[in-house]
Amino acid sequence: MTTLLSQFLTEARDLLDEASRGLVALEREPESEEVTNRVFRAVHTLKGGAGFLAYESLTRLLHAAEDTLVALRARKLAPTPELIDLQLDCLDLVGTWLDSLAEREALPADAS
């Protein structure tokens, strides 16, 4: 495994954890701009790293999550429990894909 991939995986896990904790906090504090912004920054940074390493499917998935967070920040969507659950499901899938990168240095074959 390259040093760059290893560093990405370490940082990605931290960002994934931060985003997940933030989403859970957002369920308790749905009006919190600070929490929404924190989740957005984590997902945005994670997307940037995936894009830099040219993991296109991972970048697209994170871009979709980021688009939802943009709508939350703009108050075009409300942070309902269902929406938070969908975001958490997305992050779970990201975690599975990160496991694949750690094990095989590749995304799962069905990632696209």
Side-chain angles (χ1 to χ4, degrees), residues 27 78-89:
E27 278 189 305
T80 63
E82 296 81 14
L83 184 65
I84 298 298
D85 285 347
L86 286 172
Q87 288 286 93
L88 288 168
D89 288 345

Side-chain angles (χ1 to χ4, degrees), residues 2 9 30 35 77 100:
T2 67
L9 290 170
V35 173
L77 287 176
S100 179

Side-chain angles (χ1 to χ4, degrees), residues 24-98:
V24 171
L26 194 58
E27 278 189 305
R28 292 188 308 269
E29 304 174 60
E31 298 300 318
S32 175
E33 287 183 33
E34 178 185 336
V35 173
T36 304
N37 288 334
R38 190 172 67 230
V39 174
F40 173 83
R41 281 191 301 275
V43 171
H44 179 74
T45 303
L46 185 52
K47 181 192 79 166
F52 177 77
L53 293 174
Y55 294 119
E56 293 177 23
S57 296
L58 181 57
T59 303
R60 281 194 307 273
L61 177 60
L62 289 163
H63 189 72
E66 183 184 53
D67 285 347
T68 301
L69 293 165
V70 167
L72 284 173
R73 290 172 84 192
R75 305 276 189 225
K76 293 180 180 178
L77 287 176
T80 63
E82 296 81 14
L83 184 65
I84 298 298
D85 285 347
L86 286 172
Q87 288 286 93
L88 288 168
D89 288 345
C90 177
L91 295 182
D92 286 346
L93 183 57
V94 169
T96 298
W97 289 5
L98 292 177

